[in-house]
Amino acid sequence: MHISAAQNKAAGELVDLVAIKLGSGRAVHSETAIACTARLAGSLLFRSFGLSVQPEQPGTVVLSNEANEEGRQLISIMSAMLQQFGVSLNQDMLGGEPSKRGGAPELSVIESLALLQEDAMHIAQNNGLGLKEAAWAATMAAAFVVKECARNIGPEVGFNIAAYSFIEGCKTVPPTIGAKSTPLTEKKPWYKLW
């Protein structure tokens, strides 16, 4: 897999997005920041599958062969990025058991995606990335967040949260983009409440 300059740039912009949306002075709740970034990566990958989920409500779990096969790539990308960052992981502490995932994120899957996905789609579009390329960029961003949060929660806990959150993202129907937002080109009059 080749990482392009556009993906690298998008990954940095996604890290900034998470810091702005979740943080106060760039201080964030580690578990929430990792989970949100990884869920976003998984959700971008989910959207790349092109599955027909029109009647499904956001938050509905959708099982697919694509998620089973391609979701593993996100974990591989994160592992490679952590290795490149010089983060070593104790293999005995990796796994999906709740006790090894650390504290609970403060946002649900749907809340995480609703907070980030629209801006993330703009970042992907502005960098000329398709959905799968954007998912890989978001995975790189998640690896960076894991590295940055490792001193607070440990790299293995961060890895476990991200791995679980990738799965959540790539197997959950995301909120509709733009369903409750006003397009950037259309301003709502100050006196309108709806």
Side-chain angles (χ1 to χ4, degrees):
M1 182 193 77
H2 171 72
I3 300 297
S4 69
Q7 285 174 302
N8 215 8
K9 181 175 179 279
E13 292 174 8
L14 291 168
V15 169
D16 288 341
L17 174 66
V18 169
I20 289 166
K21 293 286 188 170
L22 294 176
S24 171
R26 292 192 67 90
V28 296
H29 181 256
S30 297
E31 292 88 342
T32 303
I34 293 167
C36 286
T37 312
R39 288 168 176 163
L40 177 63
S43 184
L44 289 165
L45 186 63
F46 177 89
R47 288 176 183 279
S48 79
F49 301 153
L51 300 174
S52 177
V53 293
Q54 294 300 335
E56 301 293 338
Q57 290 292 324
T60 302
V61 174
V62 175
L63 303 178
S64 69
N65 288 331
E66 294 90 345
N68 292 337
E69 293 168 14
E70 296 186 41
R72 289 184 220 152
Q73 287 179 335
L74 303 182
I75 295 171
S76 296
I77 293 167
M78 178 178 61
S79 296
M81 292 303 301
L82 289 173
Q83 188 174 29
Q84 186 174 347
F85 292 145
V87 176
S88 59
L89 298 168
N90 179 341
Q91 298 297 314
D92 294 334
M93 295 179 68
L94 301 180
E97 298 165 27
S99 63
K100 292 184 180 182
R101 285 200 302 257
E106 295 175 343
L107 298 174
S108 71
V109 175
I110 295 301
E111 291 169 331
S112 300
L113 297 175
L115 183 67
L116 300 172
Q117 71 179 4
E118 194 153 344
D119 290 323
M121 294 294 268
H122 288 298
I123 289 170
Q125 185 178 29
N126 291 342
N127 285 288
L129 301 179
L131 291 169
K132 192 174 287 189
E133 294 171 313
W136 294 345
T139 302
M140 293 165 54
F144 182 81
V145 175
V146 168
K147 175 186 82 90
E148 291 298 303
C149 294
R151 61 183 160 264
N152 296 331
I153 62 172
E156 295 84 8
V157 170
F159 181 94
N160 290 334
I161 292 168
Y164 186 80
S165 298
F166 289 142
I167 295 166
E168 288 179 314
C170 72
K171 293 187 178 187
T172 303
V173 175
T176 304
I177 291 181
K180 294 183 180 179
S181 65
T182 304
L184 295 175
T185 56
E186 180 184 314
K187 290 188 177 180
K188 203 181 331 180
W190 66 269
Y191 56 86
K192 276 209 161 191
L193 301 176
W194 60 92

